[in-house]
Amino acid sequence: MSLNAYDSSAGLFIRGLANLKTLLTKAEAHIAANGSGEAALLDAQLATEGRVRGVAGHPNDVHMYTLAAQVHWAAEGARLAVAHLLGAPSVPAASDEKSFADLYQRLDATIASLREIAPSDLEAGLERAIVIKNRGGSMSFSGSQFLIEFAIPHFFYHMTTAYGILRNQGVHLTMGDFLGGKG
């Protein structure tokens, strides 16, 4: 099997987001079984001590974000990465999910939009010059560098942190849940 731009970007993100949805389904079953509240789980973080506020009141270290924010940024990271590869305008959506239903809606919408992309449209994106602007300046990449050095690690950072939060909160998950089934 040879990899192409679609398999290495949108295809990878679709699979990861579907797996994340499975993790959230197990989380909902966990809170139903033990009587804990949805809001408490969605607001859970890996750590709260030493939280330093940065620009506009946002924490400087995203691993301090809540479960809901981690899920949001996994979906947004996937959506924005593909937009960069396509050369399309890319503005982050607000992180305003307050329930599992909101998170499922975000994941479903992102998966649906990624599925609509024609694989051939992403091939040119591997050669595209991509500049990512952030508070500390900007980073420049070729499309393939952007995908391998920034977009995929960013995506899995948020996926892994969401998984870690759920495990930390007592949700029974395995590596198999994180990796998902074949295909």
Side-chain angles (χ1 to χ4, degrees), residues 2-180:
S2 64
L3 289 178
N4 59 44
Y6 185 88
D7 294 336
S8 301
S9 60
L12 180 139
F13 297 141
I14 289 167
R15 181 182 167 125
L17 294 173
N19 294 350
L20 185 53
K21 195 171 170 184
T22 298
L23 300 179
L24 293 177
T25 301
K26 289 189 172 209
E28 275 193 296
H30 171 79
I31 60 176
N34 73 14
S36 59
E38 176 180 44
L41 188 55
L42 293 175
D43 288 339
Q45 302 168 307
L46 283 180
T48 57
E49 68 278 349
R51 190 173 188 159
V52 177
R53 292 286 174 183
V55 177
H58 296 285
N60 285 330
D61 195 350
V62 296
H63 77 271
M64 299 296 175
Y65 281 174
T66 65
L67 172 63
Q70 297 294 347
V71 173
H72 170 83
W73 286 111
E76 275 301 283
R79 186 184 68 78
L80 294 170
V82 170
H84 284 302
L85 289 172
L86 293 171
S90 55
V91 176
S95 178
D96 56 4
E97 296 86 4
K98 303 282 188 235
S99 67
F100 280 99
D102 291 343
L103 293 174
Y104 293 139
Q105 184 177 13
R106 167 80 60 200
L107 293 170
D108 289 342
T110 303
I111 290 168
S113 70
L114 294 174
R115 283 188 173 139
E116 291 176 5
I117 296 165
S120 60
D121 291 347
L122 285 169
E123 290 301 324
L126 296 180
E127 302 302 320
R128 186 179 315 285
I130 296 174
V131 176
I132 303 297
K133 296 178 183 174
N134 58 42
R135 292 185 291 255
S138 63
M139 299 178 290
S140 299
F141 304 94
S142 69
S144 59
Q145 284 178 308
F146 165 74
L147 187 59
I148 293 167
E149 297 174 15
F150 185 84
I152 292 172
H154 179 271
F155 176 75
F156 281 108
Y157 177 85
H158 291 292
M159 288 273 306
T160 303
T161 305
Y163 175 88
I165 291 169
L166 291 170
R167 286 292 309 252
N168 183 264
Q169 295 297 308
V171 179
H172 179 72
L173 299 171
T174 66
M175 182 172 39
D177 294 321
F178 182 86
L179 296 175

